[in-house]
Amino acid sequence: EHARLLAEDEHRIAPLRALLEAGAELHQAAPAPSERAIERLQERWERLPKPGQPDLATALQHEFAALVRDLRKALKESLDKRRRAAEEAETLFAELETALAKGELKPALSIRDRIRHRLRLAKGVADRQRAAVEKRLHKVEGRLDELRQWRHWGSGLARDRLCEELDALAESTEPASEIAAKVRSAREAWRRMDQAEGPASGELWERFDQACTRAYQPFHEELQHQADQRKKNLASKQALCRELDAYERTTDWSSANWHEADQKIRKAHADWRHIGPVSRREHKALQTAFEEVLGRLDTHLATERKKEILRRRDLIDEVHRLAEKPAARGALDRVKATQQEWRPSVQGSRKEEQSLWKEYRAACDHFFSLRNEQREEANAERQQNLARKIALCDELEGLLQSELEFAELRKRFHAADREWASVGPLPHREVASTETRFRELHERMRATEKQREERAAEEELAALRCRVAICEQLESALERAIGPPELASLLEQAQQDWEAAGPLAGDLRKPLAARFDLALQALRGEPEALQQARDKTEENQERRLALCLEAEILAGVESPPEFTAARMEFQVSRLSSALGQHNGAGVSLHPAVELERIWLLSGPASPEQRSALEARFRRALDAVSKGAGDRSSDTGRD
């Protein structure tokens, strides 16, 4: 029984499902179903028997009710749409009247067509409103015809103007591409006028077409030129492909010049772009051949390209390592050297090159940034050093202007030298001026020292002259007869003068004291002293002659003729040796002072020759004092 009931429900469900599908098709169809169609659908549903199973019957009933609701909703939306269309038609009519009042035909025709479309959509609703709009639309057709006639006349004028403009273009000097664009624009305008007003007369069309052909001729010739150029470009590109193919096949890639190969490939790319386009028919095959030969070349360069990338990455790592001690000796030169070494024999892709270069520049910028920081620190330290040295110079300058004892002054200068050497480097621009100032202070110190030494030497020479004069006075008394009273007076006066004479250094005072004592003993009548004095006089004679010759050689003055041979035997070096042996103070004095000191220390001389030798020596001494000749030039002359 249950199976029988199920079979009956199956027979009842089929027509119900068919009716639901018909309702769904009615819902999808356009226009929306009418109210009568929905009612007929409901009547058919009511007449059909329902399933005996309550759940199934309820589900089918709910599905049908939902379908009816959707149909009524679609009907309502359709009615609303048609009512809005009727309202829009009435609103658009006002716009139509405005366009007609302005004489604008094309906008008026467009608005009229939109009104007609709205009226067709509103069919079945608002019949009175729709009929009123149709009646008003019928009345304005006459005005539209009138405007259409005027427009046709105006389009004729416009066509004449187009022909005149095209005739002028045939004589224009504008670029052919611009003229062609104007011709195409004129043809488009002619086509729109044909669509709006109908075709023009055959005669006018023939005139327009010929004008277009004449104006278009330069562009046609340019197109022909471009076609010829494309043929030339084709031949050039084919030749480039053959050249690259031959280069790839004939190159020994085991010992290739990689930079040359890379540049050749890059130049091929540039030449390919520079050659220009070819015809579309040839482009694809030619481009494929070019890429194929470039691919084979690139295969050879791939290994070298990887090596170059690794090599430059090593350079980047090296710059990073140098940045750890940017102020180290040679670090800057090495970074600059990496810039020279950066250029690869084979370049990578644009992206790889940009990435590598960006990393390298970042590493270099980091290095120089750290180096600049250290340089700023070093500059600050140099400024401090400069301040210390300037303060030291100021101190020395103050010492030179003070009345400090010379020994203490020299001690302070030596201490300043040690401190100066301990100060670090200065700013480069200040080194020369600071060192110059320090040297000038030392030169002033030496000049002060020299002045004091010269003054001491002059005082010493005056004392030496005084004591030598006392000795010569005593030695002259030996050559003449003198009574005891006069002798006693002479000896007493000599002793007083000797004690009153200025002080002398030990190495000068000792030989003079011996000479003075010998003269005193000889005057007192001691035979041995008298004989010794005479012996020394004879010995000093040769010595004084030699000193005269040396003084004359040094001064560059002539010697007496009888001494020419003796002068030739002397060497200039003997004077330097004599000066060195008799310089008791250990300082370099003026040659005239040294000569006179040697002369005064040379001992007694015979009275008959003393005056002649003294005159010769003083003459040479005056010449040395005046700087009449220097030792080197005089030596060369002699």
Side-chain angles (χ1 to χ4, degrees):
E1 180 64 19
H2 181 67
R4 185 183 62 77
L5 292 175
L6 289 176
E8 289 179 358
D9 285 346
E10 285 293 331
H11 288 294
R12 293 174 181 175
I13 289 172
L16 291 173
R17 287 290 182 191
L19 188 59
L20 286 171
E21 291 176 1
E25 292 175 359
L26 184 64
H27 181 264
Q28 298 295 331
S34 61
E35 180 64 28
R36 179 58 187 157
I38 297 173
E39 291 176 353
R40 285 199 301 271
L41 186 64
Q42 287 179 316
E43 291 174 356
R44 290 175 59 191
W45 179 267
E46 294 298 332
R47 287 198 300 270
L48 291 173
K50 307 301 185 291
Q53 302 177 56
D55 294 340
L56 185 57
T58 301
L60 290 172
Q61 187 62 40
H62 285 325
E63 189 175 350
F64 181 73
L67 176 62
V68 171
R69 285 196 301 272
D70 291 340
L71 290 173
R72 291 190 183 282
K73 182 179 179 181
L75 176 59
K76 183 177 182 303
E77 291 176 353
S78 177
L79 292 175
D80 291 342
K81 183 178 179 181
R82 283 185 280 176
R83 290 190 187 94
R84 286 195 302 273
E87 294 173 358
E88 290 173 0
E90 192 169 359
T91 303
L92 286 171
F93 198 84
E95 297 180 12
L96 176 61
E97 290 178 338
T98 301
L100 289 173
K102 293 180 179 180
E104 298 175 348
L105 177 62
K106 188 173 182 179
L109 291 174
S110 176
I111 296 171
R112 182 199 64 181
D113 294 339
R114 289 164 61 192
I115 292 173
R116 287 178 176 176
H117 177 67
R118 298 295 190 282
L119 291 176
R120 285 195 297 271
L121 290 177
K123 189 175 181 180
V125 297
D127 291 338
R128 294 179 60 185
Q129 183 180 7
R130 187 167 57 82
V133 174
E134 287 179 346
K135 184 176 181 181
R136 293 171 65 189
L137 191 61
H138 182 70
K139 290 181 179 180
V140 301
E141 285 294 336
R143 176 60 178 161
L144 288 172
D145 290 340
E146 182 180 355
L147 284 176
R148 192 178 289 108
Q149 292 175 3
W150 278 103
R151 179 65 178 271
H152 185 71
W153 178 77
S155 67
L157 294 178
R159 292 175 195 268
D160 288 338
R161 275 199 306 274
L162 279 178
C163 292
E164 292 171 0
E165 291 175 359
L166 290 171
D167 289 337
L169 281 178
E171 305 298 330
S172 175
T173 58
E174 294 182 22
S177 58
E178 295 182 8
I179 294 176
K182 290 182 178 180
V183 170
R184 288 192 293 270
S185 178
R187 287 191 179 277
E188 180 61 23
W190 189 278
R191 185 185 63 79
R192 288 195 300 271
M193 284 188 286
D194 282 350
Q195 290 177 349
E197 307 297 336
S201 64
E203 182 181 354
L204 188 58
W205 161 251
E206 187 68 24
R207 177 188 172 190
F208 174 74
D209 186 59
Q210 291 177 0
C212 287
T213 302
R214 286 194 302 273
Y216 196 78
Q217 183 62 29
F219 184 69
H220 177 74
E221 294 175 356
E222 183 175 318
L223 290 179
Q224 184 61 41
H225 174 72
Q226 291 177 357
D228 295 339
Q229 186 62 43
R230 287 189 180 94
K231 291 180 181 179
K232 294 179 181 179
N233 294 342
L234 175 62
S236 298
K237 288 190 172 183
Q238 287 174 341
L240 182 58
C241 288
R242 289 192 298 270
E243 178 186 352
L244 292 175
D245 181 70
Y247 178 75
E248 190 274 333
R249 286 186 290 99
T250 58
T251 300
D252 182 5
W253 295 105
S254 61
S255 59
N257 185 334
W258 297 110
H259 180 69
E260 177 186 339
D262 185 55
Q263 292 303 311
K264 190 172 189 66
I265 292 175
R266 293 183 179 279
K267 183 177 182 300
H269 278 288
D271 292 345
W272 187 267
R273 291 190 299 270
H274 180 72
I275 288 173
V278 298
S279 64
R280 293 182 180 179
R281 184 175 64 256
E282 305 288 347
H283 172 74
K284 185 175 181 179
L286 190 60
Q287 187 69 30
T288 301
F290 180 67
E291 292 174 355
E292 189 272 334
V293 68
L294 285 182
R296 285 189 280 125
L297 288 169
D298 191 71
T299 301
H300 295 299
L301 270 65
T303 302
E304 186 67 18
R305 184 179 296 113
K306 292 178 181 178
K307 291 180 181 177
E308 283 298 301
I309 291 175
L310 292 176
R311 182 183 67 83
R312 286 181 288 168
R313 288 202 177 278
D314 290 340
L315 290 179
I316 294 172
D317 294 340
E318 182 179 1
V319 174
H320 281 303
R321 289 193 300 272
L322 291 171
E324 296 174 0
K325 294 181 179 180
R329 185 175 183 180
L332 178 62
D333 292 338
R334 182 56 196 148
V335 171
K336 291 181 178 179
T338 62
Q339 295 175 350
Q340 301 297 325
E341 297 170 9
W342 181 261
R343 182 180 178 183
S345 60
V346 178
Q347 296 185 14
S349 65
R350 182 183 183 87
K351 184 177 181 181
E352 286 177 325
E353 290 296 325
Q354 289 178 344
S355 176
L356 278 174
W357 179 250
K358 186 176 180 181
E359 290 182 38
Y360 176 69
R361 288 309 310 165
C364 289
D365 291 343
H366 180 61
F367 171 85
F368 287 113
S369 175
L370 293 178
R371 182 176 176 82
N372 288 337
E373 291 177 4
Q374 293 190 0
R375 183 182 298 170
E376 290 175 0
E377 294 176 359
N379 287 340
E381 183 179 353
R382 288 189 176 96
Q383 290 295 334
Q384 294 176 357
N385 296 338
L386 176 63
R388 288 180 61 190
K389 288 197 171 184
I390 290 176
L392 197 57
C393 289
D394 293 340
E395 179 185 353
L396 295 180
E397 193 161 3
L399 291 174
L400 288 174
Q401 295 173 359
S402 67
E403 297 297 331
L404 197 65
E405 291 293 334
F406 189 75
E408 182 64 21
L409 182 63
R410 182 181 296 171
K411 180 180 177 182
R412 298 285 290 275
F413 261 81
H414 288 330
D417 286 339
R418 291 191 296 271
E419 184 178 354
W420 186 273
S422 67
V423 178
L426 305 180
H428 299 300
R429 290 177 293 182
E430 305 292 341
V431 171
S433 60
T434 308
E435 293 290 344
T436 300
R437 184 184 177 191
F438 190 68
R439 286 194 301 271
E440 289 174 351
L441 289 170
H442 272 275
E443 289 173 1
R444 287 173 57 187
M445 169 64 183
R446 286 191 290 271
T448 302
E449 183 179 9
K450 185 176 181 181
Q451 289 175 359
R452 295 189 183 185
E453 289 173 349
E454 289 177 352
R455 188 162 55 249
E458 290 175 359
E459 293 175 356
E460 186 179 66
L461 190 59
L464 185 62
R465 289 170 184 161
C466 180
R467 292 180 185 274
V468 168
I470 295 171
C471 291
E472 287 179 349
Q473 184 181 8
L474 294 176
E475 291 163 355
S476 297
L478 291 173
E479 303 298 328
R480 60 188 175 85
I482 186 170
E486 184 181 356
L487 178 61
S489 175
L490 177 63
L491 294 176
E492 182 181 1
Q493 184 64 42
Q495 192 68 42
Q496 292 175 359
D497 293 342
W498 185 267
E499 293 175 358
L504 284 176
D507 58 341
L508 298 178
R509 186 176 63 253
K510 186 175 180 180
L512 284 177
R515 180 179 177 183
F516 179 72
D517 292 340
L518 183 63
L520 289 177
Q521 293 172 7
L523 285 173
R524 291 190 183 108
E526 296 180 9
E528 186 179 351
L530 183 60
Q531 183 62 38
Q532 189 177 358
R534 290 171 179 171
D535 293 341
K536 286 187 175 293
T537 299
E538 293 177 1
E539 293 175 4
N540 292 339
Q541 186 68 24
E542 295 299 327
R543 189 177 182 188
R544 283 178 177 256
L545 286 172
L547 284 174
C548 284
L549 285 175
E550 290 181 359
E552 288 166 349
I553 290 171
L554 181 63
V557 299
E558 296 294 334
S559 301
E562 63 270 21
F563 294 103
T564 302
R567 176 169 176 160
M568 293 297 293
E569 297 176 359
F570 275 87
Q571 298 295 330
V572 178
S573 60
R574 294 188 60 191
L575 177 61
S576 299
S577 175
L579 292 177
Q581 292 171 1
H582 290 85
N583 187 3
V587 294
S588 177
L589 300 177
H590 194 279
V593 176
E594 287 293 336
L595 280 172
E596 187 171 3
R597 176 184 289 180
I598 297 170
W599 181 265
L600 293 173
L601 293 175
S602 62
S606 62
E608 61 273 11
Q609 293 186 358
R610 182 186 301 164
S611 299
L613 291 176
E614 187 76 25
R616 283 179 60 191
F617 182 77
R618 291 298 172 187
R619 181 168 62 89
L621 191 65
D622 291 341
V624 173
S625 299
K626 295 177 182 179
D630 57 42
R631 187 175 303 173
S632 60
S633 62
D634 188 68
T635 302
R637 254 195 325 273
D638 288 316

